Amino acid sequence: MPMPLLRSLRSRLITLTVIVEVVMISAIVWNSQRVAEEHMVRQFELRRAEISLLLQAALAPAMAQRDYAAVSETLQSAQKLQGIDYLVMFDEAGQRIASAQSFADGALPEALDFRVAIVIEQRKYGELQVGIDRRFLLEARREIFSQNLMLAIAGILASSLALGAIALWLTKRLGRLAEASHDLAVGKAFRALPGSGNDDIGQVIAAFNAMAMALERRLDDLRSAEAQQRALAQTIDAERSRLDALLATMQLGLVFVDQDEHISYLNPAFASLWPVTLDIQPSAISLPELRQRLAVSLVEASRDELFDDHGTLVELNLQEGRIVTQHSIPVTSRGGAELGRLWIFEDVTGEHQIAERLIYMAERDSLTGLANRARFSAELDRLLARYQRDPGLRAALLYFDLDEFKTVNDNFGHRAGDNVLVCTANAVGNLIRSGESFARLGGDEFAIIAPGVDLSGAQAMAERVLKALTGLSFEFDGKRVSLTVSIGIALLPDHADNAEELVSRADAAMYQAKRGGKNCWRIYRPDLDDSGHMLSQLGWNEKIQAALEQDRLVLHFQGVHAIGTRAISHYEALVRMVDPDNPGELLLPGSFIPAAERTGRIVDIDRWVLGAAIRKLAASPELPGLAVNISARSFDDPALAGVISGLLAASGVAPRRLIIELTETAALANIRDSGRFISDIQKLGCTVCLDDFGVGFSSFAYLKQLSADVLKIDGMFIRNLCNDHQDQVFVRAIVEVARGMGKKTVAEFVGDAATLALLGELGVDYAQGYYLSLPIGEIQAP
């Protein structure tokens, strides 16, 4: 493998150039040195010849005359010539006769020696040995070598630099070309190379740029096409996945039947609708075979309807009691050709049960199962309609409530009160005969409609009721409690011949019984009606007026919690009255609100509560919001929205922090005024909550007209939620309707953890009740 430094063309070219330069200059230096040495040798030979001739001419006469002194003198003079180290004269016999030297005796000079024969007329008289100093030859050689070496080095460096620069210039563009080719190969963005020209490399770069740009465009096209294909594939996969998930999770059962009456597709929901096992694959069974398998689970009357195309919705009744609807639609291609039919099945058993439950709830009291006020009114109207047809008809209306029932509620709680009401309903219900109606009108108020009963019959019935209820006793917290009942009787047509007056007379007779000592019954007496009623109203009217003037109304606050986190979403403002007879005690709303509603002072209380709540919001910016209850009489006032707007503006409170609560029954009493008031409040930016939702007849039907933001589910659906499946169905229906219309839901009277958990499973957004928090007189800063 080549060394790393010699992998590139540039390195190889420069290295090869340097090697060639070194070899060539080395050869030149060697040859120059050789020529110089040859020249020096020739010069030495010429010098030797000259010295030989000169010394022979000088020494020959002296040797011929054997004048050795002259010879020695001549040698001494000749030795002084430049470059001669020594001279030695030998006679004919080879004997040394004279010498001259430039060095001390015993030293070894570096000299080149040669002998010169001393000849005269061809007679040899002796030989002269001459020693030539060779140091100058060596110094000349070294000097010539040094000069040649310096010239060689300078030449090598200069030529290497020049050739390297040329190689660098040549290979630099080739390197760029190689780097660009590599970048293009690994997918990097292409940038055109500079340096294109008329030379060969420039033409190669120009051709490469053109090729690379064309390749880049094709790669861009390929990438774009690949991205489009990938996006299209992802879209198709996502659509297929969504469609598969949708069909697999749909509550509707789907069956596609092709033109040959083979099953092309059926989803899991369809298989789950039937009690038989459908472990079949599409196209593995025909429509007649599928009909035969499923028919055994239907009642006889529905078997012929299965997969029978009537063009309308058909209900199929299963033997186990469930109801399934079926209908079909044709499936056609874009060209209009029919591909088959899609059969759609849905289990509507729950909807039927909810509808039946709604009808039942619209006419029945959820706690006791008795007829409610709506059913009572309908039965009373039906009785009066019979009276219009038969003026000889006689009937009695008994009104009664439980004496001191409020004391039980206040001291032992709502559960104890509910237990008393249920026992009362059961005890009296056992006395009701066919044709008679027994209803709970609200709270602890009950009524009995007894057609065909005269005065004596009504009195006997009142005695039976009194006896049945007087015998009841209860034990709460270790204390035994016995209740009494006050019963009022009004006769048709003796006391009234229309529903409103008949009810009013029976109610007045009940209060006459209370004033008569309670635990008794009274026949309506007109002479006792007005005086007692006005006296009662006047007393409460004065107390309410004094409370407003003397600032004896106070607000308590109960948290409304988000079910998911239990964090407080907002508070509900609850009004209390300082007891004028016992200032250390507070009167609950049940003590004075009914009287305030009857006397009209409820409007003043509403205004006071609104002002106090808004002042509280202004004083406590950390408060998320306050809910305020508004009575029906107040929202009948068209100026109330303006009053609220003025209070908010004066206090600098954001309208979204104020929540206005209206009871459903009050709102339904006057749909037009209620709708106008809700619209006005929402325009201010406040939230509107429909309180006690679900107690009114056809509550869902009025939601379009009462566009409230929040629905507060009535407590009668919450108290026994964990044990009453019908309450769970009804709450789930309210939640689904509210969610579909973009509304939030609140459950009140949440009394334990199990109820709270179940509400979360049913999808209720917020909860309120003693389990989460008690009403408090002052809100602590978060």
Side-chain angles (χ1 to χ4, degrees):
M1 293 195 49
M3 295 176 62
L5 293 177
L6 299 180
R7 288 179 181 176
S8 66
L9 177 62
R10 180 185 304 170
S11 300
R12 293 177 181 178
L13 184 59
I14 292 174
T15 302
L16 182 61
T17 301
V18 171
I19 291 174
V20 171
E21 285 293 319
V22 170
V23 171
M24 291 181 65
I25 291 177
S26 298
I28 292 173
V29 170
W30 176 81
N31 186 63
S32 175
Q33 188 73 20
R34 182 183 61 79
V35 171
E37 288 185 356
E38 289 179 354
H39 179 70
M40 288 175 63
V41 171
R42 286 195 300 269
Q43 290 295 323
F44 175 78
E45 293 296 333
L46 289 176
R47 179 70 182 274
R48 188 182 68 172
E50 290 178 355
I51 292 173
S52 297
L53 291 175
L54 179 62
L55 291 176
Q56 183 176 9
L59 294 174
M63 287 296 295
Q65 298 175 4
R66 299 186 184 277
D67 187 358
Y68 294 137
V71 170
S72 177
E73 183 179 352
T74 300
L75 290 178
Q76 292 293 332
S77 298
Q79 192 272 328
K80 296 178 180 179
L81 293 176
Q82 182 180 8
I84 297 177
D85 272 345
Y86 67 91
L87 294 171
V88 179
M89 192 65 190
F90 298 93
D91 61 9
E92 294 176 347
Q95 296 294 318
R96 179 175 178 174
I97 59 175
S99 65
Q101 59 186 25
S102 60
F103 52 85
D105 291 338
L108 296 175
E110 290 186 9
L112 294 174
D113 54 359
F114 60 91
R115 290 192 177 193
V116 178
I118 304 300
V119 179
I120 298 178
E121 294 180 356
Q122 297 183 350
R123 180 183 174 186
K124 182 177 179 182
Y125 289 97
E127 286 184 340
L128 176 65
Q129 183 172 341
V130 181
I132 302 298
D133 187 1
R134 61 181 296 185
R135 286 177 296 178
F136 83 95
L137 291 176
L138 295 176
E139 290 176 358
R141 179 183 294 174
R142 283 195 296 268
E143 184 176 357
I144 292 172
F145 180 76
S146 299
Q147 291 176 354
N148 286 338
L149 183 61
M150 294 298 293
L151 289 174
I153 293 173
I156 290 173
L157 291 176
S159 60
S160 297
L161 290 174
L163 291 175
I166 295 172
L168 181 63
W169 177 75
L170 288 173
T171 59
K172 183 177 182 180
R173 293 187 291 173
L174 292 176
R176 291 176 181 172
L177 188 62
E179 184 179 355
S181 300
H182 179 267
D183 291 346
L184 193 64
V186 298
K188 293 184 179 179
F190 172 72
R191 291 180 294 180
L193 294 175
S196 59
N198 295 327
D199 60 345
D200 293 342
I201 296 179
Q203 292 177 0
V204 170
I205 290 175
F208 175 79
N209 285 339
M211 178 196 70
M213 291 176 64
L215 182 60
E216 184 77 10
R217 287 193 296 271
R218 293 186 180 181
L219 287 175
D220 289 341
D221 293 340
L222 287 174
R223 292 190 193 100
S224 177
E226 182 184 8
Q228 292 176 358
Q229 291 292 330
R230 190 182 298 111
L232 181 59
Q234 291 176 348
T235 301
I236 294 174
D237 289 342
E239 290 296 333
R240 182 183 295 112
S241 299
R242 281 194 289 268
L243 180 60
D244 291 343
L246 176 64
L247 294 176
T249 58
M250 284 182 66
Q251 298 297 323
L252 298 177
L254 302 178
V255 179
F256 180 74
V257 183
D258 62 19
Q259 287 289 79
D260 298 327
E261 289 199 339
H262 279 87
I263 307 301
S264 298
Y265 175 82
L266 58 82
N267 67 346
F270 175 79
S272 67
L273 290 175
W274 307 93
V276 298
T277 302
L278 295 177
D279 52 347
I280 58 175
Q281 297 295 325
S283 302
I285 188 173
S286 65
L287 182 61
E289 292 172 333
L290 180 61
R291 183 189 290 116
Q292 183 178 2
R293 289 193 185 186
L294 300 180
V296 295
S297 59
L298 296 172
V299 299
E300 187 70 29
S302 295
R303 292 177 181 176
D304 293 338
E305 304 287 344
L306 182 61
F307 289 111
D308 189 8
D309 184 19
H310 294 279
T312 58
L313 188 70
V314 176
E315 286 191 352
L316 304 174
N317 295 290
L318 276 70
Q319 292 184 1
E320 60 186 26
R322 291 188 297 115
I323 302 174
V324 176
T325 62
Q326 77 166 16
H327 71 283
S328 67
I329 56 174
V331 179
T332 58
S333 65
R334 290 187 176 182
E338 186 169 343
L339 302 177
R341 298 194 72 81
L342 178 66
W343 291 86
I344 304 172
F345 295 80
E346 182 179 9
D347 189 340
V348 295
T349 308
E351 285 78 352
H352 276 253
Q353 292 174 346
I354 289 175
E356 293 173 357
R357 174 64 174 168
L358 289 175
I359 294 174
Y360 178 86
M361 295 297 295
E363 297 181 343
R364 294 287 174 176
D365 174 57
S366 61
L367 178 64
T368 62
L370 301 177
N372 60 11
R373 185 179 291 274
R375 178 64 180 273
F376 166 76
S377 298
E379 291 294 333
L380 190 57
D381 289 340
R382 189 176 296 110
L383 174 66
L384 292 171
R386 287 176 56 192
Y387 171 73
Q388 295 297 328
R389 296 191 300 269
D390 181 10
L393 178 65
R394 294 293 180 266
L397 175 62
L398 280 69
Y399 245 55
F400 66 91
D401 69 5
L402 304 178
D403 300 327
E404 308 304 332
F405 175 74
K406 179 180 176 300
T407 303
V408 175
N409 255 348
D410 292 346
N411 288 279
F412 303 109
H414 292 290
R415 291 187 181 276
D418 290 348
N419 186 29
V420 170
L421 295 175
V422 171
C423 291
T424 299
N426 292 337
V428 177
N430 293 330
L431 307 177
I432 302 303
R433 296 171 296 190
S434 176
E436 297 175 345
S437 298
F438 181 29
R440 179 189 174 206
L441 305 181
D444 63 333
E445 293 185 354
F446 297 87
I448 300 173
I449 301 174
V453 173
D454 56 11
L455 176 59
S456 61
Q459 292 171 335
M461 178 178 288
E463 284 291 345
R464 291 197 302 272
V465 171
L466 193 64
K467 182 179 180 181
L469 297 182
T470 303
L472 293 178
S473 63
F474 305 89
E475 185 172 340
F476 304 119
D477 297 337
K479 296 181 181 180
R480 182 164 296 279
V481 178
S482 296
L483 299 181
T484 59
V485 62
S486 297
I487 305 173
I489 303 172
L491 300 175
L492 174 73
D494 302 47
H495 300 133
D497 59 359
N498 61 75
E500 184 177 354
E501 290 185 359
L502 190 62
V503 170
S504 176
R505 302 294 187 262
D507 184 56
M510 181 182 68
Y511 281 99
Q512 292 170 12
K514 287 184 179 295
R515 290 193 298 273
K518 302 181 181 179
N519 197 27
C520 62
W521 54 265
R522 289 289 186 269
I523 299 294
Y524 172 70
R525 288 180 54 183
D527 58 322
L528 299 178
D529 187 4
D530 292 340
S531 59
H533 180 70
M534 291 302 294
L535 182 61
S536 175
Q537 297 302 314
L538 181 59
W540 270 115
N541 188 40
E542 290 176 351
K543 290 179 182 180
I544 294 171
Q545 180 66 29
L548 290 168
E549 293 176 351
Q550 300 171 17
D551 197 22
R552 290 209 302 265
L553 293 178
V554 295
L555 288 183
H556 279 202
F557 308 91
Q558 186 176 24
V560 177
H561 300 254
I563 289 182
T565 63
R566 294 199 183 184
I568 291 181
S569 169
H570 62 276
Y571 290 87
E572 182 179 5
L574 305 171
V575 66
R576 304 287 190 263
M577 178 190 290
V578 177
D579 191 347
D581 301 323
N582 188 3
E585 298 290 333
L586 293 177
L587 298 177
L588 297 177
S591 301
F592 58 93
I593 291 298
E597 289 178 338
R598 286 194 296 267
T599 61
R601 301 314 300 267
I602 189 64
V603 175
D604 298 323
I605 294 177
D606 285 345
R607 297 289 180 94
W608 183 91
V609 171
L610 279 169
I614 292 174
R615 288 193 298 273
K616 181 65 177 177
L617 289 172
S620 305
E622 73 278 3
L623 244 73
L626 275 181
V628 176
N629 288 280
I630 298 297
S631 67
R633 289 210 181 180
S634 287
F635 63 73
D636 285 345
D637 181 6
L640 181 59
V643 172
I644 295 174
S645 177
L647 291 172
L648 291 170
S651 301
V653 173
R656 60 180 173 77
R657 298 176 63 202
L658 182 64
I659 303 167
I660 303 297
E661 290 195 3
L662 315 174
T663 63
E664 180 196 9
T665 52
L668 294 180
N670 192 335
I671 290 292
R672 179 177 298 177
D673 288 341
S674 302
R676 173 194 52 76
F677 177 73
I678 291 174
S679 177
D680 292 342
I681 291 300
Q682 288 175 333
K683 287 177 182 177
L684 294 179
C686 300
T687 301
V688 177
C689 175
L690 202 57
D691 197 5
D692 299 333
F693 184 79
V695 299
F697 181 72
S698 302
S699 299
F700 293 113
Y702 291 102
L703 276 181
K704 292 179 64 178
Q705 301 177 54
L706 300 175
S707 57
D709 306 293
V710 181
L711 303 182
K712 180 177 282 190
I713 305 170
D714 189 77
M716 69 178 182
F717 302 112
I718 307 302
R719 291 190 183 96
N720 198 34
L721 183 66
C722 294
N723 302 317
D724 193 327
H725 177 69
Q726 291 182 337
D727 285 344
Q728 296 174 19
V729 171
F730 195 76
V731 170
R732 182 180 288 109
I734 292 176
V735 170
E736 291 178 355
V737 170
R739 186 172 297 165
M741 300 179 73
K743 304 176 188 299
K744 298 293 185 180
T745 51
V746 180
E748 57 183 358
F749 293 101
V750 177
D752 51 55
T755 301
L756 181 65
L758 182 55
L759 288 170
E761 295 175 5
L762 295 176
V764 177
D765 301 299
Y766 304 101
Q768 179 182 5
Y770 285 174
Y771 173 73
L772 294 166
S773 59
L774 299 174
I776 55 178
E778 190 62 37
I779 302 174
Q780 299 294 327

